[in-house]
Amino acid sequence: MSAIIQIKNVTKEFKVLNRREGLKGSLKDLFSRDYKIVRAVDNISMDIEQGEIVGYLGPNGAGKSTTIKMMTGVLEPTSGEILVGGNIPYQNRAKNAQEIGVVFGQRSQLWWALPLIESFKLLKDIYQISDSDYKSMMHLYQSLVDIEPLLHKPVRQMSLGQRTLSDILAAFLHNPKIVFLDEPTIGLDVSMKSKIRILINALNKEKNTTVILTTHDMGDVDALCRRIVIIDKGKMLYNNDIEHLKGFFGSYRTLKIRMDGDLKQQAEVIQKELPDFSVSADEEWISVLVDEEKSKVMEVLNQLQKSHEIRDMQLEEISTEDVIKKIYEEGVE
Amino acid sequence: MKRKGLGFYLRIYGKILAQDLKSKMSYRADFIISTIGMIFTNIAGFVSFWILFRNFPSINGWSYHEMLFLYGFSLVSLTPVQCFFDNNWSLRMYVYSGDFIKYCFRPINLFFYYQSEVFDIKGLGQLAFGLGTLIYSWTKIGLGFTPLILLKRVVFLLTASLIMIALQNASAATCFWIQNSFYVMDLVLKFKDYARYPITIFSPVFRFIFTFIMPIAFIAYYPSLVILRPNEVPLLSWLSPLIGCLFFWISYKFWMFGAMKYSGTGS
């Protein structure tokens, strides 16, 4: 079976006016034809299979939104090929729209003044959902979330969390093959975040919907994604399983120790003793990021115990967040 | 996927409209105040018109009642643009903030989907006022009510509406290229007031502009000639239904062209 989303050597360039500074500069800009080409997405290729949840990550301005816009048909790629469910999105926007669902975390697509149930009914007509499909979807929703109190509330009166939840439900309503979620948990409290993650997971399992998720919250990634794609400055840095990611920079673990005295000063001393590893200190702990390929954590601990009096210690596995941070900062060699 | 024809769109529009009205009624104060506002706007427009005619019994051979006819005609023909296409006024805000992108993901016509979101109920007050003026001047002039004249009336009212809609679409769509289309829309709105006067009172330059560039003469003047001056109807009057459709089609294409070019802001 071929992949539901196929992206081949896709590049997107924008023409941007070179802006000058100051008032005089703005006046000159009025008449200027001094454009530069900015490459927002640079030769990206990937295949995504039906039913996958893929985390699409990258720092701000990396080209994530541009890629999503190309997949949803809002933007046309400068070069390369995109096939979404067999369609070329830009050329067949309406047909593509029938098979995808889109949620932008901050921007509700529901009718602002209408109660949710009325929005659902309108979507039922717009997407031409059959009565039986609609009913079974509503049954599924009722079994997954406490939807009753939302149904008769105008979207305008909802909290951000309720609105995001509603937007996600609306995006899945016509049982699309693919759902794009752009920062769905942005600005939400911890319990709402977890509710939304559970919902996305359940809908993905139940309907085998492909989910493309962009987020800056590594909690989302850990809870949902089996595979992640990282891009920065338009280039793809990583495209593989999440397990794979942790071993990506060798096997790192963080050794945390507590000592008497000023931790900042102590940390500087330890840094000199352990030039291979990065040492930092906060209010309570001194952290040593140990690369286990160079030496084992226990050896480091032994060595430290010889010269310092250690009162307490902790061992932390490197988190997804740390790895991603390292990738953003250092790139991939 | 079934084909989406006119019936499909009418059904969807009907449902959105019903819901929209329901929710509007729930803001009673807002509803009453805006209705009162609309009534006063119309009265003020009428009073300035009336004062003008207290001083000049006729303009360029057009009597008071004939001018009143033109006035009522322009009010009625402005109703559809006010009721159905009022969301054009918000377009620049949606485009500027990037919220316009939310309209791009539905499997229905983008222009329809965008315009269907708002129904401006204030237009109905204007319609009532315009119809009243029209019927009053009609009986005063003594035009009679034959089926043919009624048919002409309806056809030319539709024509005039189409042209007004076209003007507004086109001016609103400029926001896809320039930051603030408000000035363009406002300019068009102001010019539209000239539609109430017979075009012959303007200089040839403006006559040309109002006929071919910003075709406001088609909003009331050319269509009214068919009924008021049946003996001196220029060819342009008979062509105006066609021109109305053409202008509407062009403005729709222009609007859609801008919308397809739209790429949103970063997030």
Side-chain angles (χ1 to χ4, degrees):
Chain A
M1 198 193 87
S2 64
I4 185 84
I5 299 180
Q6 299 170 39
I7 299 182
K8 241 187 256 158
N9 307 106
V10 163
T11 296
K12 176 74 195 175
E13 289 169 344
F14 291 104
K15 219 162 81 171
V16 190
L17 188 68
N18 272 325
R19 294 199 184 278
R20 299 181 183 85
E21 278 175 37
L23 187 64
K24 219 172 135 190
S26 328
L27 282 174
K28 271 188 192 159
D29 282 345
L30 273 179
F31 306 98
S32 155
R33 287 284 157 265
D34 180 19
Y35 289 105
K36 64 172 180 232
I37 303 283
V38 174
R39 206 168 260 204
V41 171
D42 192 356
N43 197 19
I44 281 185
S45 303
M46 63 175 137
D47 279 357
I48 292 168
E49 301 294 334
Q50 182 70 53
E52 274 193 284
I53 302 187
V54 177
Y56 195 47
L57 314 177
N60 292 320
K64 296 187 302 276
S65 292
T66 309
T67 321
I68 300 267
K69 280 175 191 164
M70 287 193 285
M71 289 193 262
T72 51
V74 177
L75 282 179
E76 187 181 15
T78 310
S79 66
E81 271 173 47
I82 299 186
L83 279 181
V84 174
N87 295 317
I88 299 172
Y90 188 77
Q91 283 174 12
N92 213 334
R93 236 199 231 188
K95 190 151 176 266
N96 190 44
Q98 184 73 31
E99 314 211 324
I100 63 171
V102 184
V103 176
F104 282 108
Q106 299 283 41
R107 296 181 172 144
S108 179
Q109 290 172 63
L110 298 164
W111 286 267
W112 207 235
L114 301 192
L116 185 60
I117 184 75
E118 302 299 343
S119 279
F120 279 2
K121 282 182 190 158
L122 283 171
L123 289 175
K124 175 179 180 291
D125 286 328
I126 287 176
Y127 287 95
Q128 299 172 309
I129 306 167
S130 73
D131 289 339
S132 60
D133 287 351
Y134 179 77
K135 256 192 203 135
S136 77
M137 208 58 180
M138 290 306 273
H139 265 290
L140 176 63
Y141 285 175
Q142 266 150 3
S143 70
L144 293 174
V145 279
D146 186 18
I147 194 175
E148 272 312 314
L150 293 180
L151 283 179
H152 301 286
K153 203 172 185 181
V155 175
R156 173 175 47 78
Q157 290 173 10
M158 288 182 182
S159 70
L160 180 63
Q162 293 174 324
R163 214 161 67 210
T164 311
L165 198 70
S166 305
D167 259 306
I168 292 174
L169 295 176
F172 277 91
L173 192 68
H174 59 288
N175 194 14
K177 291 197 189 116
I178 307 149
V179 170
F180 296 92
L181 301 171
D182 193 5
E183 302 189 34
T185 58
I186 193 165
L188 302 185
D189 69 55
V190 189
S191 103
M192 202 67 207
K193 270 184 186 174
S194 121
K195 247 189 215 170
I196 282 183
R197 287 168 191 158
I198 291 169
L199 176 70
I200 295 171
N201 247 333
L203 287 169
N204 162 263
K205 282 224 175 63
E206 197 67 36
K207 295 284 171 187
N208 199 33
T209 316
T210 307
V211 176
I212 314 282
L213 172 82
T214 75
T215 183
H216 292 294
D217 186 331
M218 291 312 133
D220 291 347
V221 176
D222 283 325
L224 293 170
C225 307
R226 286 172 279 273
R227 172 180 161 198
I228 59 172
V229 175
I230 303 176
I231 71 166
D232 191 14
K233 300 192 184 83
K235 290 200 169 68
M236 192 185 284
L237 299 182
Y238 181 86
N239 177 10
N240 210 329
D241 294 339
I242 195 154
E243 287 84 27
H244 209 84
L245 181 75
K246 296 203 174 165
F248 201 61
F249 284 100
S251 32
Y252 283 93
R253 294 165 103 182
T254 306
L255 174 66
K256 290 183 146 189
I257 48 179
R258 188 154 25 206
M259 295 192 288
D260 289 323
D262 182 23
L263 293 181
K264 289 255 155 60
Q265 274 175 15
Q266 306 260 28
E268 280 169 27
V269 177
I270 293 173
Q271 179 72 75
K272 276 176 200 139
E273 289 170 29
L274 301 167
D276 283 350
F277 308 129
S278 89
V279 181
S280 60
D282 58 23
E283 304 294 295
E284 288 176 77
W285 299 96
I286 293 176
S287 307
V288 186
L289 188 63
V290 182
D291 181 353
E292 292 220 282
E293 277 168 12
K294 288 182 182 154
S295 54
K296 296 277 172 243
V297 170
M298 288 315 288
E299 290 166 16
V300 176
L301 190 61
N302 270 333
Q303 191 189 336
L304 286 175
Q305 261 183 323
K306 281 174 198 155
S307 47
H308 303 275
E309 192 174 324
I310 294 171
R311 293 183 44 209
D312 198 0
M313 61 86 60
Q314 262 188 358
L315 201 54
E316 264 180 14
E317 301 300 320
I318 190 164
S319 65
T320 317
E321 182 156 0
D322 292 329
V323 181
I324 305 248
K325 205 163 85 189
K326 270 180 85 67
I327 294 181
Y328 286 1
E329 281 165 4
E330 296 165 20
V332 186
E333 54 275 5
Chain B
M1 196 166 74
K2 282 169 270 173
R3 225 180 70 80
K4 286 160 183 168
L6 187 65
F8 169 82
Y9 281 108
L10 283 177
R11 206 169 52 245
I12 299 259
Y13 197 91
K15 286 188 180 173
I16 294 177
L17 182 62
Q19 287 307 323
D20 188 48
L21 289 181
K22 239 198 301 189
S23 77
K24 278 218 182 79
M25 299 297 186
S26 61
Y27 295 97
R28 215 178 318 161
D30 178 74
F31 180 69
I32 292 171
I33 290 169
S34 53
T35 310
I36 293 175
M38 197 68 186
I39 290 171
F40 274 104
T41 316
N42 280 310
I43 290 178
F46 180 74
V47 164
S48 61
F49 178 83
W50 183 70
I51 290 171
L52 190 75
F53 265 91
R54 296 259 307 187
N55 299 315
F56 308 97
S58 75
I59 290 181
N60 223 3
W62 289 67
S63 73
Y64 172 67
H65 287 114
E66 284 174 328
M67 289 292 293
L68 205 57
F69 184 88
L70 235 70
Y71 183 70
F73 193 99
S74 77
L75 280 186
V76 175
S77 64
L78 287 177
T79 302
V81 75
Q82 176 89 35
C83 285
F84 301 115
F85 295 89
D86 207 48
N87 217 18
N88 268 331
W89 285 96
S90 315
L91 185 63
R92 70 199 165 89
M93 257 98 80
Y94 282 114
V95 169
Y96 186 71
S97 68
D99 281 336
F100 185 74
I101 199 163
K102 73 176 187 182
Y103 299 98
C104 302
F105 304 124
R106 299 275 184 235
I108 53 173
N109 182 283
L110 179 60
F111 179 74
F112 167 83
Y113 181 45
Y114 181 76
Q115 305 292 355
S116 70
E117 207 181 40
V118 169
F119 176 84
D120 187 11
I121 201 162
K122 293 196 293 295
L124 294 179
Q126 181 175 312
L127 178 69
F129 202 84
L131 277 178
T133 315
L134 202 58
I135 291 168
Y136 170 76
S137 58
W138 195 323
T139 48
K140 284 287 173 189
I141 301 169
L143 286 169
F145 286 87
T146 65
L148 181 67
I149 209 168
L150 269 177
L151 180 71
K152 277 186 195 164
R153 191 68 312 181
V154 171
V155 168
F156 283 102
L157 271 172
L158 285 175
T159 302
S161 304
L162 277 177
I163 291 187
M164 197 52 228
I165 293 164
L167 279 175
Q168 207 198 43
N169 282 339
S171 54
T174 54
C175 74
F176 291 116
W177 289 273
I178 59 178
Q179 290 284 325
N180 198 338
S181 65
F182 178 77
Y183 300 109
V184 182
M185 294 193 74
D186 200 43
L187 185 77
V188 172
L189 187 76
K190 294 233 167 74
F191 268 118
K192 170 200 84 180
D193 287 343
Y194 296 118
R196 293 172 190 163
Y197 303 101
I199 192 179
T200 43
I201 67 170
F202 300 113
S203 72
V205 177
F206 277 98
R207 241 183 274 174
F208 181 81
I209 291 176
F210 291 160
T211 305
F212 295 107
I213 295 172
M214 200 184 271
I216 55 170
F218 288 96
I219 294 173
Y221 175 72
Y222 285 122
S224 297
L225 281 181
V226 175
I227 285 142
L228 294 178
R229 298 273 194 278
N231 301 325
E232 43 178 288
V233 182
L235 184 63
L236 274 175
S237 283
W238 295 114
L239 283 181
S240 57
L242 231 94
I243 291 173
C245 294
L246 182 72
F247 270 111
F248 178 76
W249 185 79
I250 291 173
S251 76
Y252 164 74
K253 284 287 171 189
F254 179 62
W255 199 100
M256 285 298 272
F257 178 67
M260 293 305 277
K261 197 187 79 62
Y262 175 79
S263 59
T265 54
S267 59

